């Protein structure tokens, strides 16, 4: 029961995160070469 | 089970980095799949990467990202740290390196019992607070992102600076360590493993030891790359659910179960 509740909370977190536009933010970062991530440009 | 796991790890690596055009053109995938996080450590600047890195995503959105934490907690609740053992591309790299036959192989670094807690500090300080893990520490980003891109693309090669060499040194360090020690990055540094480890005691998929069959012979511990006495602690935070203990147990006392 506790695990089912935890899974439901996780699904809610994902849903609210999507509604807040977090996936878009991630996409905008991930769809361009992240120079910071690969140690370039510094 | 070892061979099956190797095949699954290889398929996961290939699928996660399946954008072949990226390797030929020196560009990265820009499709819709990048809205989704890979469950393992896979740099989204790898030319072949189809998904986003969850640690990179955490650093990008914020340390309070509901989407990323919700995803990681969901994976952890179901599988615990099994992603580390079965799906993580950098986990596969370390596994293959450890297979290289050299003398003086050991499982753990000196000070292992204290060093294993370092990954939690890396998570809190480097990922959540300073948001600098990807920039200064991550060897996966170097191996799968920086090196292929600097080889393929001249404009990117011209951007090489001091940070590149710092990260390259860290990558080389972990490559050498991984030849002599089992999964040093997973044990001591990986912030993603740190997150998933917290779910090992409560995850749906877990190991169970049949105490009636177990003779405490320690075959499980000898087989375990994380050096866990599975018969004592089948839900250890360090367990990557690789199943090597199951294959090695002469009494078939260990099994993977699922329980809600």
């Amino acid at each position: 029961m506790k695990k089912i509740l935890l899974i439901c909370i996780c699904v809610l977190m994902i849903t609210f995160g999507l509604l807040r536009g977090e996936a878009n933010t991630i996409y905008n970062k991930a769809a361009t070469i992240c120079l910071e991530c690969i140690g370039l440009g510094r | 089970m070892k061979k099956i796991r190797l095949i699954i790890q290889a398929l996961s690596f290939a699928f996660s980095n399946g954008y072949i055009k990226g390797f030929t053109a020196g560009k990265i995938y820009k499709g819709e799949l990048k809205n989704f996080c890979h469950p393992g450590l896979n740099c989204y600047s790898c030319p072949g990467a189809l998904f986003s890195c969850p640690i990179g995503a955490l650093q990008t959105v914020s340390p309070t990202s509901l989407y990323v934490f919700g995803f990681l907690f969901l994976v952890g609740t179901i599988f615990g740290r099994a992603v580390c053992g079965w799906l993580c591309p950098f986990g596969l790299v370390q596994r293959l390196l450890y297979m290289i036959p050299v003398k003086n192989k050991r499982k753990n670094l000196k000070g292992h019992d204290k060093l294993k807690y370092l990954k939690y500090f890396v998570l809190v300080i480097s990922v959540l607070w300073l948001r600098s893990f990807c920039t200064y520490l991550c060897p996966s980003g170097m191996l799968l992102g920086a090196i292929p891109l600097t080889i393929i693309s001249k404009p990117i090669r011209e951007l090489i600076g001091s940070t590149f060499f710092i990260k390259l040194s860290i990558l080389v360090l972990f490559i050498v360590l991984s030849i002599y020690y089992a999964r040093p990055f997973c044990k001591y540094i990986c912030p993603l493993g740190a997150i998933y480890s917290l779910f090992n005691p409560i995850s749906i998929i877990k190991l169970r030891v049949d105490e009636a069959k177990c003779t405490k012979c320690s075959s499980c511990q000898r087989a375990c790359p994380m050096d866990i006495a599975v018969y004592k602690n089948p839900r250890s935070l360090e367990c990557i659910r690789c199943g090597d203990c199951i294959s090695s147990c002469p009494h078939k006392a260990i099994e993977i179960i699922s329980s809600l």
Side-chain angles (χ1 to χ4, degrees), chain B residues 3 26 29 73 86 89 98 102 116 129 133 194 198 207 234 242 260:
Chain B
K3 280 186 186 167
Y29 172 72
F73 291 174
W86 290 78
Y98 194 62
V102 295
K116 65 186 180 184
W129 178 33
F133 176 80
L198 300 173
L207 295 180
C242 65
L260 280 171

Side-chain angles (χ1 to χ4, degrees), chain B residues 120-230:
Chain B
Y120 300 101
F121 286 97
V122 171
L123 170 64
V124 171
I125 294 171
S126 178
V127 176
L128 299 179
W129 178 33
L130 296 176
R131 302 205 213 176
S132 61
F133 176 80
C134 298
T135 306
Y136 293 109
L137 270 179
C138 185
S140 179
M142 195 64 192
L143 180 66
L144 301 177
I147 289 175
L149 283 170
T150 50
I151 290 171
I152 299 164
S153 168
K154 190 181 172 194
I156 288 177
R157 208 156 45 239
E158 288 169 359
L159 295 173
I160 289 176
S162 57
T163 309
F164 180 88
F165 293 106
I166 293 171
K167 288 195 74 179
L168 184 61
S169 306
I170 293 171
L171 172 64
V172 169
L173 172 66
F174 276 105
I175 287 174
V176 172
L177 285 176
S178 297
I179 294 170
Y180 288 92
Y181 301 94
R183 294 209 173 216
F185 182 77
C186 303
K187 282 176 181 160
Y188 307 121
I189 303 293
C190 185
L192 193 52
I195 294 173
Y196 287 142
S197 73
L198 300 173
F199 291 88
N200 267 2
I202 60 166
S203 64
I204 291 170
I205 306 289
K206 57 191 167 202
L207 295 180
R208 183 173 68 186
V209 177
D210 185 340
E211 295 191 1
K213 294 180 181 176
C214 176
T215 59
K216 300 178 176 48
C217 66
S218 296
S219 295
C220 52
Q221 186 170 5
R222 283 192 292 276
C224 178
M226 308 302 273
D227 199 30
I228 299 163
V230 180

Side-chain angles (χ1 to χ4, degrees), chain B residues 27-93:
Chain B
K27 296 179 181 178
I28 62 171
Y29 172 72
K30 293 178 184 288
E32 296 299 315
L33 291 177
K34 282 242 167 121
N35 282 293
F36 304 103
C37 289
H38 190 283
L41 200 70
N42 198 61
C43 185
Y44 43 44
S45 287
C46 169
L50 293 171
F51 302 94
S52 293
C53 174
I55 296 297
L58 263 182
Q59 293 190 173
T60 295
V61 179
S62 94
T64 55
S65 167
L66 292 174
Y67 173 52
V68 181
F69 272 124
F71 171 73
L72 295 177
F73 291 174
L74 182 63
V75 172
T77 300
I78 299 171
F79 299 107
R81 218 176 151 180
V83 167
C84 305
W86 290 78
L87 296 179
C88 181
F90 200 64
L92 173 62
V93 168

